[in-house]
Amino acid sequence: MPSLSDPVNALKGVGEKRVSALHQLGIDTVGDLLFYFPFRYEDIRTRSLAELGDGEKVTLKGLVIAPPVVSRFGRNRTRLNVRVLVEDLPIVVTFFNQPWLKDKIVENTEVAVFGIWNAMKHSMTGQRLIAQAEGGNAGMSPIYSVNKHIRQRTLVDLIEQAYKQYAPLLTDVVPVPLRRHYKLEETATIVHDMHFPRNSEDARAARRSAAFRELFLFECRMQSLRADNNKEDAGLALNYDLQAMREFIKTLPFELTNAQKRVVNEIVADMKRPHHMNRLLQGDVGSGKTIVAVLALFAAVTAGYQAALMVPTEILAEQHYQKIAQLLAPMHVSVGLLTGSLSATDRAKTVHDIATGRLNVIIGTHALIQDTVKFAKLGLAVIDEQHRFGVNQRRELRRKGLSPDVLMMTATPIPRTLAITTYGEMDVSTIDELPAGRHPIVTEWLKSNQTRQVYDRLRSELAAGAQAYVVTPLIAESEAIDLRNAEDLYEKMTKALPQYHVALLHGQLKNQDKNDIMGAFARNEVQVLVATTVVEVGMDVANANLMIIFDADRFGLSQLHQLRGRVGRGSRHAYCYLIADPKNQVAISRMEAMVKTTDGFVLAEEDLKLRGPGDVFGDEQSGLPSFNVADPVGDSAMLDVAHGEAGAIFDTDPQLQAPDHQGIAQYLAELKRRNQYFD
Ligand code: ADP
Ligand code: MG
């Protein structure tokens, strides 16, 4: 019996090669193929010369009046020229690097060519030939994203074939009441009109319904993952000692903010429940996430478990280790550090102490998730700056113990709509308040010929006993030049400020040297730290109140915000100088946004407007799902609705037993069968 889960080679003309080409596009089954929608349509209706503007993409039809001529130029490049008579006007059409078209263009026959019209020269840069039947009556030709192993035309043929044979098997997943309420089309109509629209209204309506369907299914999966997580017996119940927590809080050097108290309560209450905690702690830079993490670590220890904190860099691990060991010392908690740069003996000892349970709290880099590390009784794993870790590394740590509770922390502010997609299956706690007594960081953008002002400020702040970061970019592609720049800047600073200690910190130093320099800066033995982006995340030196960023236009907005967040952590007034001569409007807008606000969430929204979500978070780190039709930013209102509706369904019918919910249940079962449920 045919089914949408049939492999693509059930179709005629699909052999091993095409199976693998399709697989690379994420198409394995006939169903995948039918839901592989075009990302746009080309209007391939023939147009008349009179209505054309220069540079327009159009289809022209005409008579070939001379045989095509192919010439070579450069290295392996070809140019095909052919003269075509269009409405009595002879024009030249040029195709680059498609020499094979020579055989398809025959003198004295009609051709239809799609390309870019040049009105001055009466010529066209041809992109492709249009086949007679292409695009149907609507003249709308679907454009699919393809790879070099499969052509548009092939894909179109396969989709047509699949549609003819399998369309009756298409079933609905979006429940009928929702479909009616939001005026959405049935799946069969969506599939038809996405591939073969009769007109642009059809295509638009189909796209809207397809986007909703996609977002809704995504949200259903998130709800289902979350429900699995919350199954009562799946995790650990950490019975922490409230009295001990209270005593510990009394020893802290500051009063917790209300937001910190609230999120600590949310977290420990969650840890106490027997399910598997999967929680995100969100809070802007400087909002005080570390102490919240320490309280959670301590809570796990009072419940008789070990707790681990994983951070992205050795410098950060070292810094956290120093601070946390000190904070926890009065509570008789033994804290250990595990990083890649430990000596073999130290490492062996630490690994041993983790395995025997002698260490209660372990702080480390990804060295923590290596196979040789076995925890005696891991109850809680905290992951700091979680956006720096790949999804797999996070999952790895989670597998380490008896299914420990997991708390992820992030300062990368995520606009609400993206938070829904990125962290849809997580519970979220948010610190929305900065510790009292902070002054807003004064931010100024200066051109590179205005640095005098910066040096004046630097001298006066240093004279008042403060410290400064001076940051310059180090980007992989231009690493050698950038490193040279950092060294030059370091020499310049050393000469300009003879009475202070200036140090240079960059990624190519040995870890031990980096730690030493950071340690010296933290102890105020170094007053000016010239650094590349290694200081970007997590660094916490409250006495530093000046951040000077050279070539600031080369940094992204979230990176600039992170860097700025290194200062303004104490009671001193803090300053951030962006030195940049941006050339393009996007970079100018970034500088202006930084000057206008210090609110990370506002900046994140701004960043999203200036660039796409992939750019904001980096494709790999983002964990953002890639949608086929929907655009989580452009369709954010729809995403909100899908989120709410999916939530309501799982609240009222968690087992998906209602007849209207059978489509969802089948969809989830199919994902599990195909091992696509978790990623
Ligand atoms: P982030 O959220 O960026 O990780 P940190 O945890 O590093 O922020 O905290 C920033 C600074 O604020 C640290 O120096 C920390 O000691 C301090 N801090 C945290 N909570 C408070 C508080 N409630 N009152 C005063 N200072 C605090
Ligand atoms: Mg931090």
Side-chain angles (χ1 to χ4, degrees):
M1 220 173 62
S3 130
L4 291 172
S5 326
D6 287 351
V8 275
N9 60 14
L11 297 170
K12 252 191 267 127
V14 181
E16 228 168 274
K17 265 197 180 147
R18 285 200 173 147
V19 166
S20 93
L22 290 167
H23 176 75
Q24 284 177 35
L25 298 175
I27 303 170
D28 294 313
T29 67
V30 175
D32 295 342
L33 185 64
L34 286 174
F35 285 99
Y36 194 76
F37 294 140
F39 64 94
R40 67 184 174 89
Y41 302 90
E42 233 158 42
D43 182 352
I44 54 165
R45 280 171 301 181
T46 307
R47 306 264 300 272
S48 78
L49 290 177
E51 58 184 26
L52 296 188
D54 186 41
E56 258 192 277
K57 278 191 179 179
V58 295
T59 303
L60 292 177
K61 206 183 257 178
L63 189 73
V64 179
I65 50 179
V69 180
V70 176
S71 52
R72 305 198 162 267
F73 67 102
R75 256 176 151 232
N76 298 329
R77 290 164 61 78
T78 66
R79 179 192 295 121
L80 181 153
N81 280 332
V82 60
R83 285 163 67 80
V84 179
L85 191 67
V86 182
E87 301 166 31
D88 296 334
L89 182 73
I91 69 166
V92 175
V93 181
T94 307
F95 288 94
F96 290 100
N97 306 319
Q98 302 186 54
W100 58 85
L101 290 179
K102 188 171 193 286
D103 300 332
K104 307 216 159 165
I105 301 173
V106 181
E107 196 179 355
N108 288 324
T109 62
E110 277 232 313
V111 283
V113 184
F114 183 82
I116 300 167
W117 172 242
N118 184 324
M120 307 327 154
K121 295 186 182 156
H122 286 174
S123 68
M124 175 181 254
T125 307
Q127 293 183 335
R128 60 195 183 94
L129 295 178
I130 301 289
Q132 209 150 39
E134 196 178 324
N137 298 333
M140 286 175 65
S141 183
I143 306 293
Y144 299 88
S145 70
V146 288
N147 56 28
K148 62 175 188 278
H149 306 294
I150 195 156
R151 295 183 314 132
Q152 286 284 337
R153 199 59 237 167
T154 313
L155 204 55
V156 171
D157 289 345
L158 290 177
I159 289 170
E160 270 175 22
Q161 190 194 145
Y163 187 80
K164 277 190 196 126
Q165 294 173 32
Y166 289 84
L169 300 177
L170 290 167
T171 52
D172 275 300
V173 277
V174 178
V176 179
L178 289 188
R179 227 175 58 217
R180 294 225 176 93
H181 185 255
Y182 296 107
K183 301 195 169 41
L184 300 163
E185 286 167 348
E186 292 180 21
T187 301
T189 313
I190 296 175
V191 171
H192 177 273
D193 288 1
M194 286 297 286
H195 295 298
F196 324 109
R198 277 172 303 253
N199 52 52
S200 51
E201 283 78 57
D202 273 10
R204 216 170 302 133
R207 195 212 155 270
R208 175 175 171 274
S209 299
F212 185 87
R213 182 182 178 279
E214 195 174 23
L215 294 170
F216 178 75
L217 290 180
F218 174 79
E219 289 298 335
C220 285
R221 181 158 69 89
M222 291 299 123
Q223 290 293 336
S224 175
L225 280 168
R226 192 167 172 164
D228 287 356
N229 249 340
N230 286 341
K231 285 217 185 88
E232 282 301 289
D233 53 355
L236 302 171
L238 303 185
N239 281 309
Y240 62 92
D241 180 342
L242 184 62
Q243 195 48 40
M245 297 267 311
R246 291 206 172 112
E247 274 162 34
F248 177 42
I249 290 173
K250 269 190 237 147
T251 69
L252 298 180
F254 44 69
E255 172 87 4
L256 294 176
T257 64
N258 286 330
Q260 284 170 323
K261 286 180 195 159
R262 176 172 46 75
V263 298
V264 168
N265 281 328
E266 288 169 8
I267 293 164
V268 295
D270 205 356
M271 285 165 57
K272 192 165 189 168
R273 273 184 273 152
H275 75 202
H276 183 145
M277 176 167 87
N278 189 24
R279 184 169 285 272
L280 178 77
L281 174 61
Q282 210 185 359
D284 211 345
V285 263
S287 60
K289 292 184 292 297
T290 313
I291 195 63
V292 173
V294 173
L295 285 161
L297 296 170
F298 181 66
V301 173
T302 68
Y305 285 87
Q306 289 174 302
L309 171 64
M310 184 160 91
V311 301
T313 67
E314 298 224 343
I315 298 183
L316 216 49
E318 182 83 24
Q319 174 195 280
H320 277 338
Y321 171 69
Q322 303 290 351
K323 293 205 168 167
I324 293 172
Q326 200 182 351
L327 283 170
L328 286 175
M331 307 313 291
H332 310 290
V333 173
S334 65
V335 183
L337 173 70
L338 188 71
T339 65
S341 63
L342 290 186
S343 71
T345 1
D346 285 351
R347 187 190 148 76
K349 180 169 182 342
T350 306
V351 169
H352 180 257
D353 288 347
I354 294 172
T356 60
R358 200 194 70 73
L359 286 173
N360 307 119
V361 169
I362 304 96
I363 295 166
T365 54
H366 54 267
L368 274 180
I369 54 176
Q370 277 152 11
D371 275 343
T372 47
V373 183
K374 301 259 188 308
F375 289 84
K377 206 181 174 192
L378 184 62
L380 172 73
V382 180
I383 304 179
D384 195 11
E385 308 292 351
Q386 67 82 28
H387 60 283
R388 288 299 202 91
F389 290 98
V391 178
N392 287 336
Q393 282 173 318
R394 292 181 226 156
R395 214 172 271 151
E396 208 45 42
L397 180 52
R398 199 187 205 169
R399 285 196 313 132
K400 275 280 136 173
L402 318 150
S403 176
D405 281 350
V406 173
L407 177 68
M408 303 198 185
M409 308 205 288
T410 185
T412 298
I414 313 254
R416 199 185 115 66
T417 49
L418 287 187
I420 292 178
T421 50
T422 323
Y423 304 118
E425 90 285 17
M426 292 174 141
D427 296 302
V428 180
S429 291
T430 306
I431 307 183
D432 51 8
E433 172 189 17
L434 294 180
R438 296 275 176 84
H439 306 286
I441 304 165
V442 176
T443 304
E444 283 189 54
W445 165 31
L446 301 166
K447 300 285 170 61
S448 54
N449 59 11
Q450 299 173 312
T451 50
R452 249 201 72 173
Q453 183 182 341
V454 178
Y455 281 90
D456 289 347
R457 170 73 70 187
L458 180 56
R459 286 204 180 82
S460 67
E461 288 301 318
L462 291 174
Q467 292 165 271
Y469 295 96
V470 180
V471 174
T472 165
L474 196 153
I475 315 285
E477 300 100 66
S478 48
E479 199 169 290
I481 304 170
D482 284 346
L483 196 54
R484 192 65 236 145
N485 281 345
E487 281 161 357
D488 286 349
L489 196 56
Y490 165 70
E491 274 162 33
K492 219 159 123 188
M493 290 285 162
T494 313
K495 280 206 190 93
L497 306 163
Q499 66 275 51
Y500 299 104
H501 283 108
V502 182
L504 175 63
L505 183 67
H506 60 77
Q508 289 175 13
L509 294 175
K510 285 207 212 82
N511 281 321
Q512 192 52 52
D513 294 340
K514 284 189 218 165
N515 289 336
D516 290 349
I517 293 171
M518 266 325 299
F521 188 63
R523 291 187 298 272
N524 198 359
E525 293 159 16
V526 163
Q527 286 78 43
V528 179
L529 186 66
V530 178
T532 58
T533 24
V534 283
V535 294
E536 180 191 337
V537 290
M539 297 312 315
D540 181 42
V541 178
N543 192 49
N545 73 333
L546 200 58
M547 169 61 68
I548 303 170
I549 307 174
F550 282 87
D551 293 319
D553 53 324
R554 289 178 61 197
F555 293 100
L557 204 42
S558 68
Q559 226 176 353
L560 289 171
H561 180 62
Q562 285 281 342
L563 285 169
R564 177 168 59 184
R566 296 310 112 218
V567 299
R569 305 189 141 236
S571 51
R572 287 179 185 279
H573 281 276
Y575 304 88
C576 173
Y577 292 100
L578 308 170
I579 300 167
D581 309 293
K583 306 261 179 319
N584 63 57
Q585 189 51 49
V586 172
I588 292 171
S589 305
R590 261 188 269 145
M591 298 303 118
E592 288 170 347
M594 283 292 291
V595 173
K596 208 164 54 198
T597 180
T598 52
D599 184 327
F601 288 89
V602 175
L603 285 171
E605 298 279 359
E606 186 71 21
D607 209 12
L608 209 50
K609 269 187 249 154
L610 295 173
R611 314 185 289 162
D615 287 336
V616 177
F617 304 107
D619 274 333
E620 281 186 7
Q621 299 171 350
S622 71
L624 274 185
S626 53
F627 291 108
N628 186 354
V629 190
D631 158 17
V633 182
D635 297 324
S636 65
M638 214 188 253
L639 178 61
D640 253 346
V641 171
H643 181 68
E645 296 291 0
I649 288 172
F650 278 79
D651 282 348
T652 53
D653 182 19
Q655 306 297 326
L656 300 174
Q657 281 162 341
D660 261 342
H661 301 155
Q662 288 319 298
I664 303 170
Q666 277 162 21
Y667 168 76
L668 294 171
E670 170 78 2
L671 284 183
K672 283 181 187 160
R673 195 183 65 73
R674 296 178 67 178
N675 273 330
Q676 292 172 351
Y677 181 61
F678 286 104
D679 44 40

